[in-house]
Amino acid sequence: MSITSTQQALTRHASNPVLDTPDIPWDCMSVFNAGVCKWQDGYAMLFRTDSGAKEAPDCYQTRVGLARSADGVNWTVDKEPVFNMAKMREWLKAEYDERMDEDELARIYDPRITVIEDMAYLCFALDTKHGIRGGIARSENLRDWELLHISLPENRNMVMFPERVNGKLVRLDRPFPLYLRGGRESFDIWISDSEDGKYWGNHKLLLRAEEVSFGNAKIGPGAPPIKTEKGWLTTFHAVLSHPDKDLGTWATNRTWHKEYVAGLMLLDLKNPSKVIGISEQPLLASEAPYETEGFRGSVIFPGGFIAEENGMVKMYYGAADTVVALAEGKLEDLLSLIKPV
Ligand code: BMA
């Protein structure tokens, strides 16, 4: 079911979905929410898979896998996941030490990748028994990751800028404030900076959920920003809650009533904590069957945003929490969607 209409700056790729469960060398029911970067002579993607059968989905058996591509459309998946349960627990042991009981850590998911001076930075969400945390790691080969930072709970959807700004690393993130937001799921996008990627500070509110006219609930950063002459162009997701509608989910004992759409904003080049403008309409909302139907229908979750030398931009997104899709458009058309705030 499509509820929100989309602006026409992006075209869905004819090969969509570009990554689907038959492409994955391990058992899974879905492959989605991917981070994508240019890597060596081609492209690399870190993606999430959830397990279980359609009739008995198990979204907590989550793995993160790696795929490589020469053209950004056809992907080959590495045989082994980068993170499965065992590897995640081993990797995070130092962080949690002896206090980690059997099920303290649930999963690592929703990866985003930023390349800064030939080093890949991974931002991820981490579900723990004591809250959701955002993490940052770095790697020279995309398989062996050095953990740099894990935020306090409740935080998620971190993405890093592709270069230092005023000498500092910069990230966007999305905490979950509840008390003074009246218990509503109305969460905003924040910005912070760091010298070394380990210690983060200067947290500032960047975009308020209520500034996004095409959402009525939380928003969150999408993919790492693209540097343009006009500013940092960056995607975000916005949620529209439709309490009266069931948008469809495989989980049989639940209804799903949240539509996720992609939005676009432009941040000041020298002072990225200043929003220049945002798109008035969603950049992309669910229309294609692989977006409207799946584990959770009508979810567009952008995680990759890549500028090509020919003026085109690729946006990779998780569709319906089930597959990875690609849409393309001209950078100048995307910039023309931005209206001053
Ligand atoms: C968010 C996250 C994403 C997911 C989205 C839609 O809160 O859990 O991983 O894609 O919901 O279900």
Side-chain angles (χ1 to χ4, degrees):
M1 184 191 322
S2 166
I3 293 169
T4 307
S5 68
T6 189
Q7 289 188 308
Q8 297 305 320
L10 290 178
T11 306
R12 290 169 176 82
H13 201 280
S15 307
N16 272 349
V18 291
L19 207 65
D20 200 349
T21 46
D23 305 316
I24 308 302
W26 55 88
D27 266 355
C28 58
M29 65 166 184
S30 52
V31 38
F32 61 112
N33 293 5
V36 184
C37 65
K38 284 269 184 85
W39 189 253
Q40 292 158 354
D41 292 333
Y43 301 76
M45 178 194 290
L46 286 166
F47 56 84
R48 158 181 176 182
T49 65
D50 286 358
S51 297
K54 199 168 164 180
E55 300 69 34
D58 184 356
C59 42
Y60 280 88
Q61 281 301 323
T62 293
R63 298 176 177 88
V64 173
L66 175 62
R68 305 164 200 262
S69 170
D71 58 7
V73 177
N74 299 290
W75 295 86
T76 308
V77 178
D78 280 16
K79 262 177 132 174
E80 295 295 328
V82 175
F83 292 106
N84 55 22
M85 253 345 242
K87 192 151 174 213
M88 173 188 75
R89 290 175 63 84
E90 186 55 36
W91 191 58
L92 293 173
K93 221 170 170 178
E95 180 76 13
Y96 281 88
D97 213 4
E98 308 87 52
R99 298 187 57 125
M100 184 167 76
D101 71 22
E102 252 316 271
D103 36 79
E104 175 61 36
L105 304 174
R107 56 179 180 167
I108 282 178
Y109 60 105
D110 294 357
R112 272 84 163 194
I113 330 170
T114 308
V115 180
I116 307 172
E117 292 156 10
D118 294 334
M119 179 69 88
Y121 287 78
L122 162 66
C123 294
F124 58 90
L126 170 68
D127 282 0
T128 80
K129 223 160 59 178
H130 293 87
I132 299 175
R133 306 176 67 183
I136 296 178
R138 72 177 164 206
S139 172
E140 283 172 345
N141 63 13
L142 302 179
R143 291 207 62 96
D144 305 304
W145 293 92
E146 175 200 357
L147 184 64
L148 289 180
H149 168 83
I150 309 186
S151 76
L152 282 170
E154 299 279 344
N155 199 359
R156 192 155 67 184
N157 296 311
M158 283 182 185
V159 304
M160 283 175 66
F161 281 55
E163 59 183 71
R164 287 177 181 261
V165 184
N166 305 318
K168 301 249 184 86
L169 296 168
V170 183
R171 83 176 190 214
L172 303 177
D173 43 9
R174 209 293 306 287
F176 297 71
L178 270 174
Y179 286 109
L180 297 177
R181 300 290 268 161
R184 282 173 297 119
E185 203 185 44
S186 183
F187 311 146
D188 318 284
I189 298 177
W190 290 66
I191 189 165
S192 45
D193 63 35
S194 169
E195 293 284 352
D196 56 6
K198 287 187 183 201
Y199 301 101
W200 291 83
N202 292 321
H203 309 289
K204 286 187 189 142
L205 179 59
L206 182 76
L207 186 68
R208 300 160 171 82
E210 52 272 33
E211 286 178 278
V212 179
S213 60
F214 48 87
N216 63 8
K218 61 188 173 181
I219 56 173
I226 289 176
K227 190 179 193 183
T228 76
E229 282 172 7
K230 297 195 167 155
W232 297 102
L233 187 64
T234 192
T235 50
F236 60 89
H237 63 257
V239 175
L240 275 135
S241 176
H242 305 282
D244 50 328
K245 295 198 168 66
D246 182 2
L247 299 176
T249 167
W250 291 344
T252 44
N253 56 351
R254 277 191 254 138
T255 54
W256 174 247
H257 55 84
K258 284 191 247 175
E259 181 184 10
Y260 278 61
V261 300
L264 198 61
M265 66 175 157
L266 189 68
L267 309 176
D268 188 87
L269 271 186
K270 294 204 175 109
N271 175 13
S273 64
K274 185 170 166 250
V275 180
I276 296 173
I278 64 174
S279 59
E280 278 180 325
Q281 301 291 324
L283 175 63
L284 200 73
S286 297
E287 281 169 15
Y290 52 84
E291 296 163 349
T292 55
E293 287 154 37
F295 178 67
R296 283 173 170 170
S298 297
V299 173
I300 303 270
F301 198 86
F305 199 45
I306 291 185
E308 303 289 1
E309 275 160 18
N310 63 4
M312 296 296 287
V313 169
K314 288 186 170 63
M315 183 177 95
Y316 295 88
Y317 57 101
D321 281 3
T322 306
V323 293
V324 179
L326 166 64
E328 292 173 303
K330 283 191 192 149
L331 179 60
E332 58 176 281
D333 290 349
L334 295 181
L335 283 167
S336 72
L337 301 178
I338 298 293
K339 303 288 177 253
V341 281

